[in-house]
């Protein structure tokens, strides 16, 4: 029996941003909810929402223009902006791509919707220069300048929005839950560097930008081009505020950084960044999870980890669409050919052109995305009355064979990651293969990946079943993928987004099916019979299990296994009886309050800034 401090759990739900929109906008699409348009309009900056209202449609007001502040009805919003909001969301034709990158083979992509790629995400997150300058984070305003050469890269913005937005699940400031910042860590993942800055690098003989270079251009552009910049920005926003120039003039200010933990300073642990292609975020989880459970003399393990991932692979100028080439990508010509070949006259739109497991699967669609999710131990969550939304019962990572002929290809042996996760679930937690019901699939949208995706999952389930002495058929899992909902392939972030939807499943809420599935690929006939493949969303199970498995270029693989958090599940572990009893009694209230906190925070303006102001450890302002 594992002790409660040997069990990892998630706290709250993931905060995400993708081509479909922000967290609640995405969930509205999955559930087919009427709240989609109001939430999409909020993402676009068209309306302000009443965050206390039960429905996003209640209490809407125009956010801009001559009618700013006036009420707006759902009918009026639909009439004026409904078509545009839908057209500018999800997978779509992106204008101007070939002007920026003439050799690309497609203009089909999944960038952020509306104006979020340019100014909108900074507005939604509260990361504009004027926002920071007038906030409690004013000591670091220099990192958020408005000049395009010096402003945070899109990837850094994605990290900040997703990671800091996850803190909405906490009932008290992070600084109260973890008084010593060294007990906190950001664990991050990305497949690509923050490449926005490359669009601004100039040849030595190039003319100066209009107005000349702004101050400290090189240092800021260099930092923005690093894949580690976004995670470091998150960590810095939460750390005590100490401007370098101010401390240099007044060195004794550093004395206020001294910790009650003698010898240590009040700063978080260094952010960890994992780069493992499309499996990056699950590799990051597999790397940081043992650190939270590891006991060794003198080692100070993190008490809480903010797991986050982001990628903006289309930046700076859609070069990735040239690199992939027409064989791996969905293109307009392919889509037209598919539609022309349909004997029944059905037409597949660009929005549902990424079609994993379908005979139409003929290429992936590159997208942008960012996510954040809190992870801690069961013991810490129980003692601090945090809403436990799932139990992480297993994780794994592996390399594979088969990539030697084409390094970008997906090879064989990737099931080791899933077998490892299921071994942990069985040997550590007592959950066998039949205790899992949902697979958040990698599902990039190519026929090759459709085969390796289901084939690897089936091989992993069968391998784990053998090791558990289970005879007969392995469980027939429901299959879902965020990509087919409209995210596109968000590269290193994709595993965390899938994990966020697996989390919805084990909460008993609707989780994605494969909404673009129409005609099952006949080449999958053998393997598909072992899974439930359907367009409709899965209803979820409040006492169920879900697994995520990702496959990445070059042979990177990651997997995670989740189980529902229930009183019966907690009984499997050695917990403090009084602490557990008090928690279970208060849990309905804890859950309701957490759900309201997340809803209010994510429907309010300046999400990332509000969370940073609330949860940052005190610094100079307290001296």
């Amino acid at each position: 029996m594992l002790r409660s401090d040997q069990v990892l759990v998630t706290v709250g739900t993931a905060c995400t941003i993708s081509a479909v929109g922000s967290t609640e906008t995405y969930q509205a699409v999955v559930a087919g909810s009427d709240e989609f348009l109001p939430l999409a309009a909020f993402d676009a900056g068209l309306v302000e929402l009443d965050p206390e209202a039960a429905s996003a449609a209640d209490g809407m007001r125009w956010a801009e223009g001559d009618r700013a502040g006036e009420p707006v009805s759902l009918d009026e919003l639909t009439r004026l902006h409904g078509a545009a909001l839908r057209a500018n969301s999800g997978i779509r034709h992106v204008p101007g791509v070939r002007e920026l990158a003439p050799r690309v083979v497609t203009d089909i992509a999944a960038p952020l919707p509306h104006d979020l790629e340019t100014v909108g995400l900074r507005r939604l997150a509260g990361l504009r220069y004027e926002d920071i300058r007038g906030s409690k984070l004013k000591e670091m305003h220099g990192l958020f300048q408005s000049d395009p050469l010096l402003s945070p890269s899109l990837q850094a913005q994605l990290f900040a929005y997703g990671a800091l937005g996850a803190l909405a699940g906490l009932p008290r400031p992070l600084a109260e839950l973890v008084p010593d910042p060294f007990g906190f860590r950001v664990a991050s993942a990305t497949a690509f560097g923050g490449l926005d800055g490359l669009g601004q690098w100039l040849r030595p003989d190039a003319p100066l930008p209009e107005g000349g270079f702004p101050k400290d251009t090189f240092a800021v552009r260099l930092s923005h081009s690093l894949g580690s910049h976004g995670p470091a920005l998150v960590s810095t926003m939460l750390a005590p505020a100490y401007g370098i120039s101010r401390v240099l003039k007044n060195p004794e200010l550093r004395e206020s950084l001294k910790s009650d933990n003698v010898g240590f300073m009040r700063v978080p642990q260094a952010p960890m960044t994992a780069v493992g292609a499309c499996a990056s975020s699950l590799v990051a989880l597999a790397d940081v999870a043992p650190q939270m459970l590891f006991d060794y003399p003198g080692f100070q393990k993190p008490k809480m980890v903010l797991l986050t991932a982001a990628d903006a692979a289309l930046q700076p100028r859609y070069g990735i669409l040239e690199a992939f080439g027409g064989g791996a990508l969905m293109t307009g010509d392919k889509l037209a050919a598919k539609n022309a070949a349909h004997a029944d006259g059905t037409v597949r739109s660009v929005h549902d052109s990424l079609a994993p497991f379908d005979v139409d699967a003929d290429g992936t669609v590159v997208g942008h995305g960012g996510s954040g999710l809190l992870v801690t131990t069961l013991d810490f969550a129980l003692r601090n009355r945090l809403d436990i939304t799932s139990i992480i019962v297993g994780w794994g990572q592996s390399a594979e064979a088969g990539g030697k002929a084409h390094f970008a290809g997906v090879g064989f042996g990737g099931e080791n990651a899933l077998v490892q996760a299921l071994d942990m679930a069985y040997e550590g937690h007592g959950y066998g293969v039949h205790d899992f019901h949902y697979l958040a699939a990698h599902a990039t949208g190519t026929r090759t990946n459709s085969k390796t995706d289901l084939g690897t999952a089936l091989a992993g389930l069968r391998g784990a079943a053998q090791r558990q002495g289970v005879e007969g058929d392995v469980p027939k899992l429901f299959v879902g993928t965020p990509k087919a909902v409209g995210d596109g392939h968000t590269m290193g972030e994709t595993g965390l987004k899938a994990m966020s939807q697996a989390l919805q499943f084990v909460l008993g809420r609707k989780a994605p099916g494969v909404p673009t599935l129409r005609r099952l690929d006949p080449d999958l006939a053998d393997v598909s019979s072992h899974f439930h493949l359907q367009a409709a969303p899965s209803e979820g199970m409040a006492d169920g299990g879900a697994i995520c498995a990702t496959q990445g270029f070059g042979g990177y693989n990651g997997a995670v296994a989740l189980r529902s958090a229930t009183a019966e599940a907690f009984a499997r572990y050695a917990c403090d009886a009084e602490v557990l009893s008090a928690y279970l009694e208060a849990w309905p209230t804890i859950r309701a309050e957490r759900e309201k906190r997340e809803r209010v925070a994510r429907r309010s303006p300046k999400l990332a800034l509000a969370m940073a102001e609330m949860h940052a450890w005190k610094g100079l302002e307290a001296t």
Side-chain angles (χ1 to χ4, degrees):
M1 178 179 284
L2 292 176
R3 301 189 312 270
S4 58
D5 63 346
Q6 296 175 305
V7 178
L8 295 183
V9 299
T10 59
V11 172
T13 60
C15 181
T16 66
I17 190 85
S18 68
V20 174
S22 57
T23 310
E24 296 204 342
T25 310
Y26 184 90
Q27 290 305 127
V29 172
V30 171
S33 168
D34 291 339
E35 290 192 290
F36 167 72
L37 277 182
L39 292 166
F42 174 74
D43 291 344
L46 294 174
V47 302
E48 296 174 347
L49 301 178
D50 178 359
E52 300 283 346
S55 169
D58 297 336
M60 282 191 297
R61 295 183 179 274
W62 293 115
E64 56 184 21
D66 296 338
R67 297 182 59 192
E70 293 183 15
V72 54
S73 69
L74 180 57
D75 287 344
E76 185 180 17
L77 178 66
T78 302
R79 176 172 54 83
L80 293 176
H81 298 287
L85 288 171
R86 289 190 174 92
N88 291 325
S89 172
I91 295 167
R92 56 200 186 274
H93 290 292
V94 184
V97 170
R98 288 190 172 87
E99 285 74 12
L100 288 171
R103 293 185 295 178
V104 300
V105 297
T106 184
D107 65 347
I108 297 177
L112 300 184
H114 322 306
D115 65 347
L116 299 185
E117 292 267 332
T118 52
V119 298
L121 184 54
R122 292 188 76 179
R123 178 198 70 244
L124 197 64
L127 300 180
R128 295 168 295 189
Y129 179 80
E130 60 270 23
D131 296 330
I132 302 296
R133 196 77 174 95
S135 75
K136 295 178 182 178
L137 277 65
K138 60 186 177 183
E139 288 286 343
M140 60 186 304
H141 67 273
L143 293 174
F144 297 90
Q145 296 188 39
S146 300
D147 189 291
L149 290 173
L150 303 180
S151 61
S153 68
L154 179 62
Q155 182 165 294
Q157 296 171 46
L158 289 166
F159 268 116
Y161 182 89
L164 293 168
L167 298 175
L170 297 178
R172 300 187 300 285
L174 178 61
E176 291 182 14
L177 291 166
V178 187
D180 182 359
F182 199 63
F184 174 80
R185 191 169 201 192
V186 173
S188 65
T190 186
F192 294 93
L195 298 177
D196 303 36
L198 293 184
Q200 304 292 347
W201 294 118
L202 302 174
R203 288 170 38 189
D205 60 343
L208 290 176
E210 186 176 347
F213 281 113
K215 183 181 178 182
D216 204 19
T217 301
F218 177 77
V220 176
R221 281 188 294 161
L222 177 62
S223 68
H224 288 174
S225 297
L226 302 174
S228 56
H229 180 68
L233 186 65
V234 172
S235 187
T236 302
M237 291 177 75
L238 292 173
Y242 285 81
I244 292 177
S245 60
R246 186 172 173 185
V247 174
L248 288 175
K249 295 174 183 176
N250 192 1
E252 59 270 20
L253 285 174
R254 287 185 295 181
E255 293 296 307
S256 63
L257 269 178
K258 287 187 175 179
S259 170
D260 292 337
N261 189 2
V262 177
F264 285 91
M265 303 293 274
R266 291 193 310 111
V267 294
Q269 295 185 29
M272 182 193 85
T273 302
V275 180
C278 307
S280 295
S281 53
L282 297 190
V283 168
L285 174 63
D287 280 348
V288 80
Q291 297 178 30
M292 304 183 74
L293 306 175
F294 178 60
D295 284 314
Y296 190 84
F299 178 71
Q300 301 212 13
K301 53 191 174 185
K303 294 181 179 178
M304 181 172 287
V305 163
L306 182 49
L307 180 63
T308 183
D311 261 305
L314 296 169
Q315 295 291 325
R317 292 175 180 168
Y318 299 96
I320 193 70
L321 299 183
E322 176 187 333
F324 265 104
L329 293 176
M330 176 51 65
T331 69
D333 289 343
K334 285 182 181 179
L335 183 59
K338 294 288 182 184
N339 286 332
H342 292 160
D344 58 3
T346 58
V347 174
R348 185 181 288 277
S349 73
V350 66
H351 289 282
D352 55 12
S353 61
L354 191 153
F357 315 118
D358 194 287
V359 69
D360 287 344
D362 207 4
T364 195
V365 177
V366 179
H368 290 168
S371 296
L373 181 63
L374 286 168
V375 178
T376 188
T377 63
L378 175 59
D379 181 71
F380 188 88
L382 292 175
R383 293 183 185 279
N384 289 281
R385 298 199 174 192
L386 309 179
D387 186 24
I388 301 167
T389 46
S390 74
I391 304 172
I392 302 175
V393 294
W395 58 84
Q397 57 176 304
S398 68
E400 62 187 27
K404 296 177 177 65
H406 189 290
F407 189 66
V410 175
F412 313 98
E415 58 264 34
N416 283 7
L418 183 54
V419 172
Q420 185 178 356
L422 294 173
D423 262 8
M424 294 174 67
Y426 181 67
E427 296 183 23
H429 302 261
Y431 291 111
V433 291
H434 286 281
D435 291 309
F436 296 93
H437 315 91
Y438 181 78
L439 167 66
H442 191 51
T444 60
T446 67
R447 293 183 75 176
T448 297
N449 181 247
S450 292
K451 297 172 190 174
T452 61
D453 204 2
L454 294 184
T456 298
L458 182 59
L461 288 165
R462 283 175 169 170
Q466 269 189 298
R467 295 171 65 81
Q468 295 168 20
V470 174
E471 298 181 356
D473 292 336
V474 294
K476 193 172 182 178
L477 275 58
F478 288 92
V479 177
T481 172
K483 296 181 183 67
V485 179
D487 276 1
H489 187 10
T490 57
M491 303 300 172
E493 186 266 356
T494 190
L496 186 51
K497 182 59 181 283
M499 186 176 167
S500 77
Q501 296 309 299
L503 177 57
Q504 293 291 324
F505 181 89
V506 299
L507 280 169
R509 299 174 182 170
K510 286 188 177 180
V514 189
T516 56
L517 181 63
R518 296 180 184 174
R519 306 169 187 82
L520 186 67
D521 185 342
D523 288 350
L524 299 177
D526 291 337
V527 69
S528 65
S529 64
H530 298 279
F531 297 90
H532 293 290
L533 287 160
Q534 60 185 39
S538 296
E539 292 299 319
M541 295 179 64
D543 186 13
I547 56 177
C548 301
T550 56
Q551 299 173 300
F553 283 177
Y556 290 92
N557 299 276
V560 63
L562 304 179
R563 277 288 308 184
S564 297
T566 65
E568 292 74 21
F570 297 156
R572 293 171 178 255
Y573 311 113
C575 303
D576 183 298
E578 291 185 8
V579 170
L580 178 59
S581 177
Y583 181 87
L584 294 176
E585 183 178 354
W587 202 6
T589 301
I590 293 171
R591 164 87 28 113
E593 290 177 348
R594 187 270 305 166
E595 290 175 341
K596 181 178 180 180
R597 273 195 311 276
E598 288 185 343
R599 183 179 70 250
V600 169
R602 294 169 186 176
R603 297 185 183 189
S604 297
K606 303 180 182 179
L607 173 63
L609 176 58
M611 292 297 100
E613 288 187 307
M614 178 182 298
H615 294 285
W617 284 271
K618 299 297 181 186
L620 287 175
E621 71 279 8
T623 61

